[in-house]
Amino acid sequence: NIFNKKFNIIEIHNRPEYFHILFKKQLNVSYTLVFHNNPLELIGSSSVNDRLFILKNCKNVIFVSHWVKEQFFTGLSLTDKNNTFVISPGINPQKKLFKKDKLIIFAGKLNKSKGYNIFGNAVIKILNKYIDWQAVVVGAEPREDIKFFHSRLKVIGWQNHQKVLKLYKKASISVVPSKWEEPFGRTAMESSAYGCLTIIS
């Protein structure tokens, strides 16, 4: 699509390496690069030269938090530029409390960096101890094979956003135990907004 259609803007999320690749193709477009995570830990923005190149050649560089922006400018001689912006993730506030089930939810990639192995080991113990509770897992991860089995634990794979929100309405507890320095993202915000007790790392 990029090569066969005419675009004015290409917006890239959290993959600065893609920006470097596409920029070399001289596509005559403007680039917007959005950072959701620590730029110092992403391929294509970890070095000072990478980040200076991004600042020079992207029309907009957007960060989901001030912390992410501060990380981006680490080691640079400047702390801001007129093409950089912080746009925090947003949610629709809920105007009422929902009737809650005895349900625990994990939503995200089923890998160690998201803490799925921690969640799985803990939730099995909880389900064994409290027989009137259930758990549901939303997500997948083809690169890691972490599996947990229990009669009251359902792994339902990737679901659309509206389905996940419906599960948050029912769930009493949401668990997001990421093992790395992850900015406070939509999973934690949305589950809190829908009245879940939200457990994060």
Side-chain angles (χ1 to χ4, degrees), residues 119-164:
F119 168 82
N121 287 321
V123 81
I124 295 296
K125 294 176 184 177
I126 296 296
L127 295 176
N128 285 338
K129 186 172 181 179
Y130 301 99
I131 61 173
D132 52 345
W133 279 77
Q134 298 183 42
V136 62
V137 172
V138 180
E141 177 55 272
R143 296 168 297 180
E144 291 185 34
D145 190 28
I146 304 172
K147 290 186 170 67
F148 296 97
F149 301 97
H150 194 282
S151 61
R152 285 177 280 114
L153 171 65
K154 291 182 182 177
V155 181
I156 60 175
W158 289 115
Q159 304 293 319
N160 67 46
H161 189 232
Q162 290 305 312
K163 177 73 180 288
V164 176

Side-chain angles (χ1 to χ4, degrees), residues 79-99:
T79 58
D80 199 4
K81 201 167 184 291
N82 61 1
N83 63 337
T84 64
F85 309 91
V86 173
I87 302 178
S88 302
I91 55 170
N92 293 321
Q94 303 304 303
K95 296 178 181 177
K96 64 176 184 177
L97 293 175
F98 302 100
K99 185 179 182 300

Side-chain angles (χ1 to χ4, degrees), residues 26-185:
Q26 298 181 332
L27 298 174
N28 193 29
V29 297
S30 295
Y31 291 94
T32 293
L33 185 53
V34 183
F35 284 94
H36 297 257
N37 301 119
N38 187 350
L40 303 180
E41 296 179 358
L42 298 175
I43 298 170
S45 61
S46 58
S47 74
V48 167
N49 287 338
D50 284 340
R51 285 174 277 134
L52 289 173
F53 185 83
I54 288 167
L55 287 174
K56 180 180 178 182
N57 295 294
C58 278
K59 183 172 183 179
N60 300 298
V61 184
I62 297 171
F63 309 96
V64 300
S65 73
H66 291 282
W67 181 85
V68 175
K69 182 178 179 180
E70 288 169 9
Q71 294 301 109
F72 183 89
F73 282 97
T74 298
L76 304 187
S77 58
L78 62 165
T79 58
D80 199 4
K81 201 167 184 291
N82 61 1
N83 63 337
T84 64
F85 309 91
V86 173
I87 302 178
S88 302
I91 55 170
N92 293 321
Q94 303 304 303
K95 296 178 181 177
K96 64 176 184 177
L97 293 175
F98 302 100
K99 185 179 182 300
K100 293 293 188 175
D101 297 338
K102 292 184 176 182
L103 178 67
I104 303 167
I105 184 172
F106 177 101
K109 292 181 180 177
L110 310 187
N111 59 33
K112 290 180 180 177
S113 67
K114 289 289 185 182
Y116 181 60
N117 55 323
I118 297 170
F119 168 82
N121 287 321
V123 81
I124 295 296
K125 294 176 184 177
I126 296 296
L127 295 176
N128 285 338
K129 186 172 181 179
Y130 301 99
I131 61 173
D132 52 345
W133 279 77
Q134 298 183 42
V136 62
V137 172
V138 180
E141 177 55 272
R143 296 168 297 180
E144 291 185 34
D145 190 28
I146 304 172
K147 290 186 170 67
F148 296 97
F149 301 97
H150 194 282
S151 61
R152 285 177 280 114
L153 171 65
K154 291 182 182 177
V155 181
I156 60 175
W158 289 115
Q159 304 293 319
N160 67 46
H161 189 232
Q162 290 305 312
K163 177 73 180 288
V164 176
L165 294 182
K166 285 180 181 178
L167 288 168
Y168 283 146
K169 284 182 182 180
K170 292 181 179 181
S172 293
I173 300 172
S174 170
V175 186
V176 194
S178 295
K179 292 177 68 177
W180 55 293
E181 282 193 324
E182 184 170 26
F184 189 69

